[in-house]
Amino acid sequence: MENQTLVKEICTTTTQEWVANGALLVDVRETEEVAELSYDVPNIMHIPLTQFEERFSEIPKDKEVVMVCKSGGRSLRAAGVLINHGYDKVVNMQHGMIRWAQKGFPTKGNTASVLGNTQDSGCCGKCC
């Protein structure tokens, strides 16, 4: 917990800027989630959180890295793991794929899995 406060977080728009400048996105969602909907960016690596402890060393230490997931929680934990292992160019993207898709940023697949609750909630869309 204490180490999570050390993780810098950025928004989806800033993430777009980092990606344009060559940052690596690391998606920690599970394989089924990525198969359904993925980030459409040039530099991306997929390491599910369930495999992260065994595979995090595949992430280069010399690159800027943005950790991503569906809503930002799992990627925050993974970013903390990297920082604890000496990675110093790591940030977490807040709100994950949900906000990414809401903003209309590039994706591959069906966005209904992340937008379905926000667009078809049966509510007025203003209160929640």
Side-chain angles (χ1 to χ4, degrees):
M1 270 321 249
E2 183 176 311
N3 292 322
Q4 289 181 350
T5 59
L6 299 174
V7 177
K8 180 180 176 185
E9 294 194 278
I10 62 175
C11 69
T12 52
T13 303
T14 302
T15 299
Q16 282 279 51
E17 295 170 14
W18 280 52
V19 167
N21 291 324
L24 172 68
L25 254 62
V26 178
D27 190 344
V28 298
R29 295 176 301 147
E30 296 305 313
T31 301
E32 312 80 53
E33 295 175 273
V34 174
E36 186 172 340
L37 179 64
S38 62
Y39 294 89
D40 188 10
V41 297
N43 296 320
I44 189 161
M45 177 181 268
H46 175 230
I47 302 177
L49 190 60
T50 53
Q51 302 172 13
F52 201 76
E53 288 284 340
E54 298 84 36
R55 295 186 49 201
F56 75 85
S57 61
E58 297 173 21
I59 301 169
K61 278 190 170 181
D62 61 340
K63 289 198 74 141
E64 291 184 319
V65 175
V66 181
M67 304 302 294
V68 297
C69 66
K70 181 177 180 182
S71 64
R74 287 176 285 177
S75 56
L76 180 62
R77 280 187 276 160
V81 169
L82 292 180
I83 289 171
N84 285 337
H85 285 88
Y87 286 77
D88 59 359
K89 299 177 181 175
V90 178
V91 297
N92 182 52
M93 185 177 81
Q94 295 175 311
H95 311 295
M97 175 59 86
I98 295 171
R99 184 67 51 85
W100 184 271
Q102 286 174 336
K103 292 262 190 177
F105 293 151
T107 59
K108 295 178 188 171
N110 185 357
T111 59
S113 63
V114 294
L115 296 178
N117 290 337
T118 58
Q119 290 185 337
D120 296 326
S121 65
C123 180
C124 64
K126 295 178 182 174
C127 63
C128 50

